[in-house]
Amino acid sequence: MAANREDGWLESGRPSSASSEPIRLAPPALAWIGERVTRDARFSDFTVGEVDDSILEIRRPERSVVFARIDPAGRGLDALRPWFDRVLLGGALVCLVAEDYPADVGPLLGRGIYEVISPDAPAERLLVVLKNAFDLLDVRARAESRSRLLRRYRYELGELFEIARVITSERDLTRLLSTILEKSRFITGADAGSIYVVEGSDPDVRKRELHFKLSQNESVPYPSTEFVIPISTQSIAGAAAIRREFINIPDVYELPADTEYRVDRSFDEKMGYRTRSMLTAPLISHS
C-alpha cells in the first residue's frame, strides 16, 4: 500500500484484487473508512464507490451508504444534495462523520441521516454501522416490494370480482365477452387480446369451429372483422381449446421447432406491430 498524505488522497487496494489499478479514496477526513473497506477482509461484502472532497460512498449491489464529513455547526450537508433522490427512493442512507452530534439536529431530519460516527471509531464500530445500514435498506426494499404486490393483488381481485359480477348479470353475450377480455388484459398487463368462441355441437371438439368474435388493442386501432376457422392444433387458440389448458409463450416469434402451432404474422406485418409474449386460456363453461 502506498499513502500520500500531502495531497490528501490515499491509494489502496485489497491484496487479493485482480486489478493493478489503485483505488482513489477520499481525503484524510474520510480516507480511513475507504482504507478499511478495501484492506480488511471483514468488509469484503462492500466496495468503495463515488468519492469527492466531502463524500465517500460504500456500495453493496443496488444500495449505498454515504459518509459525509460535517463540522460541529452542521456545515457540510450541502454535499448531500445529489444523493437526496436516492435517499428518498430507499436506495441510500447517510452516515455523518463528526466528532460529536451537531448542536442543532434540525437540518438533519428528513435527509436520510442514519448514524453519526466518530473519525477515530474502531473498525468494529464501522463494520456494525455498515452492516446495520445495509440491512435496513434491504428491509425497506422488501417492505416496498410487498406493498406493491399487495396493491397489485387488491387490484387484480377487484377485477376478478367485476368479471364475476358481469357474468351473473350481463345477458348480452358480446358485452359480456368484451368485459371479460378487457379485465383479463388489465390483470395480465396485456397490450392486446382476442376472444374466439367454439361453435358446433359435435362431441369431438376437433370437428367444431373457432369463431373469431372480438379483439382489443391499446397500441394500434384496428377495425377487426369476425371470421371462422377450423379447430386445429396448428393454431394457438385451437390448441388451447383442444387441450383445455393454458398456453404461455414468452416470444411468439421464437417458437420451438417441434411446436405444432404456428403464429400468423399478417397482422403484425400489416400494422407495423410486434406481438411478443402470449397467454392463451380456454374459457370453459359448466355445460
Side-chain angles (χ1 to χ4, degrees), residues 176-219:
L176 171 61
L177 294 178
S178 179
T179 299
I180 291 175
L181 179 57
E182 179 185 62
K183 300 301 182 183
S184 299
R185 285 197 305 107
F186 289 170
I187 291 172
T188 57
D191 179 62
S194 304
I195 281 191
Y196 293 80
V197 176
V198 176
E199 294 183 341
S201 57
D202 196 296
D204 184 356
V205 69
R206 295 173 184 268
K207 296 180 180 179
R208 302 183 192 179
E209 293 180 321
L210 280 178
H211 183 172
F212 180 84
K213 191 67 177 177
L214 57 93
S215 67
Q216 298 172 356
N217 193 309
E218 291 290 330
S219 300

Side-chain angles (χ1 to χ4, degrees), residues 66 80 83-94 110-113 137 140:
V66 183
L80 294 172
W83 293 92
F84 285 169
D85 286 345
R86 288 198 63 187
V87 169
L88 291 174
L89 293 174
L93 284 175
V94 175
R111 299 198 180 193
I113 306 299
L137 287 170
R140 287 181 177 179

